[in-house]
Amino acid sequence: MRKLHQRLRLQPLRVHLFALGATICLAGSVVGHAAETFSTEDLEFFEKRIRPLLAERCYECHSNGASKLKGGLRLDSRAAALKGGDTRAALVPGQPEKSLLIEAVRYGNQDLQMPPKSRLSAMQITDLAEWVKRGAPWPAATTTAHAATKGFDVQQRKAQHWSWTPPQATLVPTVKNMAWSSQPVDRFILAKLEEKQLAPAPAAAPNALFRRLHFDLTGLPPKPEDVADFERLSSIGDRQSAIGNLVDSLLASPAFGERWARHWLDLVRYAETRGHEFEPIIPNAWQYRDYVIRALNADVPYNQFVVEHLAGDLVAKPRLNPDTGGNESILGTGFWFLGEEVHSPVDIRQDECDRMDNRLDVMSKTFLGMTVACARCHDHKFDAISQRDYYALTGFLISSTYRQAPFAAMETHREIATQLAQLRTTEQSKLLQATAKALRPGLERLAENLSSPTPSAAWAAVLKQAKAEPTHPLHAFTTPRGEKLKPASEAGSITPASVVVDYGKLGPKDWVQDGWAFGSRPAMPGEIIFGESEPQPLAGIVTRAAALRESAWNHLVTKGTERDGGPLGTWERSGQTLRTPDVTLTAGSLWYLVRGPVRAYANVASHLIIQGPLHGALLKEFKDDRNQWRWVEHPLAAYKGQRVPGRRRRRIAAHAPRRSDGNAVGPHRARRRAARGLARAKSRPPLPAEQPRARATYRCRKARTRPPRRARCPHSARHRHRAGHA
């Protein structure tokens, strides 16, 4: 049953975190169940069908007589099965669909399949489900006595090992030679020397001391003339004052940060390539290196330095570079992503587990001075680290994502986004009124021409086409007054449970994006679409709730930055990427309701380097389709059952369309990109109806824009974002 134990630990980590909370709440109480009576028929069914099955296929690993109890689960008594093991209760009487035992034997969850070596027969699985449906009958007289199991006692572990004992303040010892040093810490050394009847070494000569301080603090030898100056000052003045001035100057030297950053970079396994075939680079890793040097030279407090590494992207008031104004805090998260990455793992989930293990190992050794890696498979043998602790920490990483961050301009962009949101609120009604006033005379004449009983042949052809196509701009003019407009498509089917995110019905945590290109929230029907210039302030009116990229961000250019290898590295993602909530691939395909050209990245198991023969299907590009709303399919049947977390996996992004000659479309030729929603389905879902419109709806031609481009560099975020990488 070892595989069960391992697979339980490989469940989606959000499940483990919920189970952890439930376990803590129940840890201090005794689980008991009131005596239940079962019919003779039910008990006979158990004795003939269930008990022999449990004894033959389960008791070896899940009973009081097991040589090693697996997963903390026992199935040799009803009370033990109801209590469950390390994950949760194995049985929910009367509800086989909610019972972990039934889920395991059905093999529907690839991370939870029992027995691990061979599957039960269809009849055996049916019998178990029927037994649970009957309430899990079990003869009370034959219930096996519960053996006491020893839990993981953190406090006991801490009390047993000296390393977990908090340090206590100690009085400075009294020494005989009080003049030897004025520093309290030196007296601890001198006290031991005096105890052993030893004398301290004599003071170093000025030239020797000068060289030692240089090598210790900067790693560089001093210039001969500087040595001579120090000797002269030491001979004619206060030696301690000269030493203090020298130390201050060396600490203020840029070489100080460069020397000591090398030690820190060794701890976080700093490298600039992935350490795999073809040696793909870690884009912009050097930005993290320089961040560490600057932090040391700026004497950043250690507690702040730690926070910036663990969650620098979430700091409410990030530390800014005093010279450039760039966000320094977010750069600290780059250390998470300096490890090895492979481009074509056969077992993509195993690869993710190995990468997460490496990151946790580096984090714990660097910041805790110990390793938690042992707890990947079992509670730590000595330290106060349980297996639950390990997977709770892994949940922190799994819930994080990777991107290239425009750190140099992030705070400026944040201010611009705030101002744009305010302008949208204050100027929208004014702009609509001015536009309506300017367009009214021409629209009235247009309406008269369209309603004329004898339109020209050209007009007749246009109106005929408009009446047949609900999405035609003039369709409203051909609809008799009072007739309800129909959705553009009624094909397919979709259930509420299949919808991952609908930007028209947004959940409280569903609006997640990289940057500000899509504004602070989805665009709602009736809102204006701002143009790019003063002569054309209005580009259109929103008719369907959607994530719509704002034109104000369309002219940012990325220069002089490194990119990931493979096709993903060719995509311009920084600052123009939407990320969805978590989704499990149950139907084999994801469908996106979009308008305009779109690129999608299904970040299964946080896989990043899409360069080899496998996993190319995770990337999908959809060309423009006459700027109309349509469902597009992303086939992912090979990953059915896998988790596609939006926190770094599912991304929807727009990109610049291109002409047939391959050149990028100019700022007034590209069609606007927008996304309405994401769903799981086997066939094309229906196209939701647009919001009710007036009989005659007039829209200006939309401004067509080029996607934004940003200066980028590494970091991560929770969302998190992979540092130095996109």
Side-chain angles (χ1 to χ4, degrees):
M1 292 290 187
R2 181 182 179 187
K3 291 186 177 179
L4 172 59
H5 200 120
Q6 294 173 339
R7 285 173 177 148
L8 285 173
R9 296 198 303 273
L10 291 175
Q11 293 259 12
L13 287 159
R14 56 184 181 277
V15 176
H16 283 284
L17 294 175
F18 291 137
L20 175 62
T23 304
I24 291 174
C25 292
L26 297 175
S29 60
V30 177
V31 178
H33 304 278
E36 297 187 49
T37 57
F38 301 100
S39 67
T40 303
E41 181 184 358
D42 289 341
L43 294 176
E44 183 178 1
F45 179 84
F46 170 80
E47 294 292 356
K48 290 185 177 181
R49 300 285 190 89
I50 304 304
R51 188 189 293 276
L53 175 59
L54 295 176
E56 178 184 358
R57 303 302 299 273
C58 304
Y59 282 5
E60 180 181 357
C61 300
H62 298 287
S63 70
N64 192 29
S67 58
K68 183 177 181 181
L69 189 66
K70 301 297 180 65
L73 174 64
R74 292 180 52 194
L75 295 174
D76 54 354
S77 75
R78 187 173 189 271
L82 292 175
K83 179 181 178 182
D86 294 342
T87 304
R88 56 183 171 89
L91 300 177
V92 180
Q95 302 183 66
E97 300 301 324
K98 296 184 178 180
S99 297
L100 192 64
L101 176 64
I102 303 304
E103 179 184 354
V105 299
R106 284 176 173 171
Y107 274 49
N109 184 343
Q110 66 177 15
D111 294 324
L112 183 63
Q113 298 178 347
M114 287 288 111
K117 296 181 179 179
S118 62
R119 187 174 182 176
L120 299 180
S121 67
M123 180 60 71
Q124 290 172 326
I125 295 173
T126 301
D127 287 343
L128 281 173
E130 177 62 25
W131 172 59
V132 175
K133 187 176 181 180
R134 294 186 182 195
W138 199 304
T142 60
T143 298
T144 305
H146 244 56
T149 57
K150 184 179 180 181
F152 186 87
D153 191 331
V154 174
Q155 297 303 323
Q156 184 181 30
R157 287 289 185 94
K158 292 175 67 175
Q160 289 176 343
H161 201 282
W162 66 266
S163 66
W164 292 93
T165 303
Q168 301 294 327
T170 304
L171 294 176
V172 178
T174 302
V175 295
K176 298 176 182 178
N177 187 6
M178 293 292 291
W180 181 70
S181 175
S182 61
Q183 301 299 324
V185 67
D186 290 338
R187 296 181 188 177
F188 286 92
I189 299 174
L190 183 58
K192 286 297 181 181
L193 290 173
E194 292 178 346
E195 181 183 322
K196 302 297 183 181
Q197 297 183 350
L198 298 173
N207 62 342
L209 179 60
F210 193 81
R211 288 178 57 83
R212 289 177 187 176
L213 289 173
H214 268 268
F215 279 114
D216 283 349
L217 296 180
T218 67
L220 301 173
K223 297 178 180 179
E225 55 270 25
D226 293 338
V227 176
D229 289 342
F230 181 76
E231 289 181 312
R232 179 177 55 81
L233 291 173
S234 298
S235 63
I236 64 175
D238 184 359
R239 174 185 171 93
Q240 289 302 121
S241 177
I243 293 174
N245 292 334
L246 173 62
V247 170
D248 288 342
S249 66
L250 293 176
L251 291 176
S253 168
F256 170 77
E258 293 167 357
R259 166 168 168 71
W260 289 96
R262 293 176 61 189
H263 298 289
W264 184 265
L265 294 175
D266 285 342
L267 290 176
V268 298
R269 46 67 168 115
Y270 176 78
E272 296 185 358
T273 59
R274 301 286 188 189
H276 185 55
E277 188 178 24
F278 310 123
E279 281 292 351
I281 65 169
I282 301 176
N284 307 302
W286 61 272
Q287 295 279 12
Y288 172 78
R289 176 200 67 196
D290 290 359
Y291 153 82
V292 174
I293 295 172
R294 289 194 298 269
L296 291 174
N297 282 330
D299 199 20
V300 173
Y302 181 69
N303 60 339
Q304 183 175 352
F305 191 62
V306 173
V307 168
E308 290 179 351
H309 275 72
L310 301 182
D313 57 299
L314 301 182
V315 176
K317 293 184 178 180
R319 182 170 59 89
L320 303 182
N321 187 305
D323 298 324
T324 66
N327 186 326
E328 289 284 302
S329 297
I330 201 170
L331 289 171
T333 57
F335 93 99
W336 291 108
F337 306 101
L338 298 173
E340 181 183 9
E341 301 269 352
V342 301
H343 61 68
S344 298
V346 176
D347 189 337
I348 195 169
R349 300 198 71 178
Q350 178 66 44
D351 176 67
E352 181 182 44
C353 290
D354 292 342
R355 284 185 282 108
M356 298 303 112
D357 183 71
N358 170 261
R359 293 172 192 174
L360 283 182
D361 191 43
V362 170
M363 183 276 292
S364 62
K365 289 177 178 177
T366 301
F367 294 100
L368 302 177
M370 60 175 294
T371 176
V372 302
C374 297
R376 179 179 181 179
C377 301
H378 53 75
D379 293 339
H380 205 289
K381 296 299 184 184
F382 307 105
D383 290 322
I385 301 295
S386 70
Q387 191 177 33
R388 290 188 182 278
D389 293 330
Y390 177 93
Y391 285 98
L393 289 170
T394 305
F396 169 75
L397 296 181
I398 290 291
S399 68
S400 305
T401 189
Y402 158 91
R403 64 180 169 122
Q404 291 284 334
F407 73 98
M410 289 184 70
E411 299 312 305
T412 301
H413 291 172
R414 191 190 308 275
E415 294 176 4
I416 293 174
T418 301
Q419 294 174 11
L420 285 173
Q422 294 173 347
L423 284 173
R424 177 177 294 279
T425 301
T426 58
E427 301 299 323
Q428 178 168 267
S429 60
K430 298 178 184 177
L431 185 56
L432 284 174
Q433 291 173 6
T435 302
K437 182 178 180 180
L439 295 178
R440 183 178 299 278
L443 292 174
E444 290 176 348
R445 291 193 298 272
L446 175 62
E448 292 174 0
N449 292 332
L450 291 174
S451 59
S452 172
T454 58
S456 65
W459 271 116
V462 171
L463 293 175
K464 182 178 180 181
Q465 180 185 5
K467 182 167 184 155
E469 298 180 9
T471 59
H472 195 284
L474 299 180
H475 180 73
F477 291 104
T478 65
T479 305
R481 194 177 293 273
E483 180 179 332
K484 184 178 180 180
L485 296 178
K486 298 179 179 179
S489 172
E490 300 288 354
S493 62
I494 187 171
T495 63
S498 299
V499 177
V500 178
V501 61
D502 182 346
Y503 291 115
K505 303 174 182 178
L506 205 62
K509 297 182 180 180
D510 291 345
W511 183 252
V512 182
Q513 64 168 317
D514 170 16
W516 306 96
F518 290 88
S520 58
R521 59 172 177 77
M524 293 291 111
E527 294 182 341
I528 65 172
I529 302 173
F530 285 109
E532 290 191 87
S533 62
E534 186 174 344
Q536 189 184 26
L538 181 64
I541 304 293
V542 177
T543 60
R544 189 191 301 279
L548 194 66
R549 196 175 68 219
E550 294 185 334
S551 59
W553 303 97
N554 289 335
H555 301 292
L556 296 175
V557 179
T558 301
K559 293 183 179 180
T561 61
E562 299 169 339
R563 294 173 177 262
D564 286 298
L568 192 59
T570 66
W571 289 9
E572 192 71 54
R573 293 175 290 154
S574 180
Q576 53 181 321
T577 302
L578 293 175
R579 290 178 292 122
T580 74
D582 290 8
V583 55
T584 298
L585 295 173
T586 57
S589 288
L590 292 176
W591 291 82
Y592 316 127
L593 179 55
V594 299
R595 185 178 68 183
V598 171
R599 284 172 168 173
Y601 169 31
N603 192 204
V604 173
S606 68
H607 183 54
L608 176 64
I609 305 180
I610 303 176
Q611 192 168 359
L614 304 178
H615 311 304
L618 299 180
L619 304 179
K620 188 70 174 178
E621 183 171 358
F622 306 97
K623 303 295 184 180
D624 190 13
D625 186 15
R626 295 185 301 173
N627 204 32
Q628 295 180 357
W629 288 102
R630 81 273 190 199
W631 283 101
V632 292
E633 181 182 11
H634 192 167
L636 295 165
Y639 303 94
K640 190 174 181 179
Q642 296 274 17
R643 183 188 70 250
V644 187
R647 297 192 179 100
R648 90 158 113 154
R649 289 92 194 195
R650 267 286 337 109
R651 298 184 178 184
I652 304 176
H655 79 299
R658 295 185 175 272
R659 301 192 189 98
S660 58
D661 59 8
N663 295 320
V665 177
H668 298 291
R669 294 292 302 277
R671 292 182 177 175
R672 186 170 299 280
R673 273 71 65 190
R676 164 65 188 261
L678 167 67
R680 297 168 289 194
K682 295 181 179 179
S683 59
R684 186 188 305 274
L687 188 66
E690 297 193 19
Q691 298 295 325
R693 296 181 291 179
R695 181 174 181 271
T697 301
Y698 309 101
R699 295 187 300 169
C700 295
R701 183 174 64 86
K702 291 183 175 158
R704 298 169 179 176
T705 55
R706 177 176 294 152
R709 301 191 174 192
R710 308 267 185 105
R712 304 182 304 173
C713 105
H715 93 281
S716 83
R718 184 189 33 265
H719 322 312
R720 289 171 77 82
H721 300 97
R722 302 201 60 176
H725 337 345

